[in-house]
Amino acid sequence: MSRSIFQLGQSSWWILLLLLVALGLSYFLYQKKNVPWGKNQNWLLFNLRTVATFLILLLLLDPSITLIQDTEEPPVVLLAIDNSQSVLGRGADSTALKRSIEKLKEDLEEQGLSVRVRSITDGEPLVFDGLETSLSGLLSTADQNIIGENTVGAVLMSDGIFNRGASPLYGNYLSPVFTIGLGDTVPARDVSITRALYNKVSYQGNQTPIRIELSQTGFQDQEFKLILREQEKTIAEKKVKFTRQVHEVEMLISSSKEGLRHLVAEIPPQEGESTLENNRRDIFIEVIDSKQKILLVATAPHPDLKAIRRSLEKTGNYATSLFIPSIHKEFPKEVFDVVIYHGAFSGEEYLPKGNPGVWYIFNRQTAISKASKQLGYLSINRKSAQPDRVTGSFNPDFSKFVIDDPNFFESFPPLEVPFGEYKVSGVSEVLLYQKLGSVVTKKPLMIINEGEGLKSAVLLGQNIWRWKLQEAAINENTAQFDQLVTKTIQFLSVKNDKKQFRFEPRKSKFTNSESPLFDVEVYNEIYERIDGNRIDITLNDENGNERSFQFVNTNANSTFRAPSLAPGLYRYDAKVEIGPSAFREKGEFLVEQVNLEFLDLSANHRLLRNLSAKTEGAYLHYSEIQKLPDLIEERDFKPVLHSEKSEVPLVKSFWYYIIIFLLFSSEWFLRRYWGAY
């Protein structure tokens, strides 16, 4: 619906004066009595001239027409579907379930509601193949996708089982959540391996304990055999009698050979089990020769030190040591792979043995002139003792290593950095630029340098522990912070090699739900990067099955994406020819099974009831789904009326001048037609 309102830029009383002027001018022209037309024709000409003159004079008052367009926004209902594997784990009919969802959508739309359908995987068509369930993530993500709309409620169809993220009960919802309970709440008769606890990294020659947690429902006092296999060969087995619901078994294996190992723990199928998907657990262990040694040197205790150490130590590949002069009496005498100076250039210098990579982290006490002199590749002309507060913005041209989600840095809290002019030189690359408000500057926040025989990094501010806390609050994990720390240390710890061909997996472990990624680099004899090379790749699984691929690296694409693979240990062999020479890269990587959905198949409808009660919605069992449209209709959700205004000045209106032209033209034509010359 649209409306229009006439407005004047001046007082409306001026209209009367302009009308009198128009009448006066027209009267002066048509008051003569010796005219060749009659009295009625004279009145018509008089009125035409008066209206046309008035319309011209009216422009002096700056008139305008305001157009108001009213649009009605229907109420929006979010239909959130839990399409994880556990929904069908007890034998539910996916076809019937999809028909019910479509019928519910149609019934709600017949009430004048706009229905937005969202699912965990958001794929089309709807398939119940989700490998994990985050109900809080489903509701919050779907809510964000329809932000700004007239959202009046949400319908969550789920079995109430979640294995990722926080409980949906902790979420803040502005509209009621109606829940429909799927699945079976009766505990299933089942035996499962719920988890395996072990060190992901083992050392050659050591024995590694593996603790396997078993769970049963309906098999009390029965005996089972737990088998541990490697490459179809049984390496250990134990008999287990279930005297309680949860039982823990420990096995000890030896690691004699360096490399990746794929073990499988499994329980043979039992008669009457509801599912066999949880009878197996893949175990992946990386056997290494020794840990890399990292030394942290700090002027005083600081939360950054713990944040960095936790990120490194949980990989299992690093052994960290700490030296604080005011606490520790003697500087460590070992040879370290990387040294991290926290509060660099702010006190006495400690030079470690060997030629380690170095990471400098500045604080307020850092002597800027001393740092500029010793670093060589970074010059800072300090303008004020007061620091700048800046966030980080990823440099898209950075090439030393790959960051999975570079835009995430901009959401981190600001750091305090020296205020001044910066100059970066030498073989250095800026990893993060300083961002002031919404403006990305060319000043560095973090630099990576690769000089002759020495690698170093500089972070120009402290308190990165806040980055870790912020990411944990947003993502419920610290993957990006951990990646920044570990990849920086990996770069600093790897000694320069001049290989002309590099073919490396992005990480050592992938899941069966993702595509393994490999970084590809090809160089000529003077170590210039070259593109357009055909690379022959073979992947071999543990059973000797081989798959072959070809990949041509380009400037725009230097990443080989393998297809999704079944769980297991894989070996890759990549070959390329550079001129007359042939180069080859070999290695291993793991693909882990994501099997969270079958650990627990007992639906949790209590959670759904509590969620609906908390948000003033309603809970229904799936068998009562046909009642939901009536429950929602009773709420009498209303549409929202939006009005959009647009003002059009008459002085800029083409049709206004057309009317004036037609009035004068009509007057002129009639005067000529009736005999006036």
Side-chain angles (χ1 to χ4, degrees), residues 244-310:
R244 51 188 183 275
Q245 185 175 1
V246 179
H247 198 93
E248 191 173 275
V249 179
E250 182 171 305
M251 292 181 167
L252 203 63
I253 63 168
S254 58
S255 302
S256 58
K257 184 179 178 182
E258 187 177 355
L260 299 173
R261 300 185 68 183
H262 177 204
L263 310 177
V264 177
E266 65 179 6
I267 300 172
Q270 305 299 315
E271 186 177 351
E273 276 194 272
S274 61
T275 180
L276 301 179
E277 296 289 341
N278 51 19
N279 285 35
R280 165 190 168 119
R281 172 71 65 165
D282 290 292
I283 297 171
F284 297 98
I285 299 175
E286 183 179 4
V287 181
I288 61 176
D289 189 19
S290 62
K291 290 185 178 183
Q292 289 190 311
K293 295 181 179 180
I294 312 298
L295 174 65
L296 291 89
V297 180
T299 54
H302 195 277
D304 283 353
L305 304 175
K306 184 176 181 181
I308 293 172
R309 295 183 79 177
R310 289 289 297 274

Side-chain angles (χ1 to χ4, degrees), residues 102-112 626 629:
E102 191 60 35
K103 179 67 167 58
L104 175 62
K105 182 175 181 291
E106 292 174 0
D107 291 344
L108 294 177
E109 288 175 339
E110 286 178 2
Q111 297 179 12
Q626 70 278 359

Side-chain angles (χ1 to χ4, degrees), residues 386-393 409-420 422 432-446 459-464 466-467:
Q386 290 298 319
D388 263 343
R389 289 176 58 83
V390 301
T391 54
S393 178
F409 290 111
E410 300 193 12
S411 66
F412 285 162
L415 303 181
E416 291 187 350
V417 300
F419 173 67
Y422 293 77
L432 297 175
Y433 283 114
Q434 297 180 21
K435 184 177 181 182
L436 283 165
S438 60
V439 179
V440 178
T441 71
K442 286 300 180 182
K443 297 179 181 180
L445 177 60
M446 186 169 177
L459 178 62
L460 290 151
Q462 62 177 7
N463 292 325
I464 57 175
R466 294 174 180 167
W467 290 5

Side-chain angles (χ1 to χ4, degrees), residues 36-109:
W37 52 74
K39 184 176 181 181
N40 290 335
Q41 287 94 340
N42 198 60
W43 269 108
L44 177 60
L45 294 172
F46 173 80
N47 288 330
L48 288 173
R49 173 57 67 98
T50 300
V51 173
T53 304
F54 175 74
L55 291 179
I56 293 176
L57 294 174
L58 189 63
L59 294 175
L60 298 173
L61 301 184
D62 191 23
S64 64
I65 292 180
T66 300
L67 301 176
I68 302 176
Q69 184 71 36
D70 295 329
T71 56
E72 195 175 80
E73 182 184 357
V76 176
V77 171
L78 165 67
L79 182 53
I81 311 298
D82 174 4
N83 63 326
S84 60
Q85 293 177 339
S86 66
V87 171
L88 305 182
R90 300 282 290 274
D93 185 350
S94 64
T95 303
L97 186 54
K98 285 188 276 190
R99 280 201 301 264
S100 299
I101 293 170
E102 191 60 35
K103 179 67 167 58
L104 175 62
K105 182 175 181 291
E106 292 174 0
D107 291 344
L108 294 177
E109 288 175 339

Side-chain angles (χ1 to χ4, degrees), residues 224-238:
F224 300 91
K225 183 186 292 184
L226 176 63
I227 302 172
L228 191 63
R229 293 186 292 105
E230 183 174 20
Q231 295 182 340
E232 301 302 324
K233 179 183 177 182
T234 300
I235 61 174
E237 65 176 57
K238 277 191 177 182

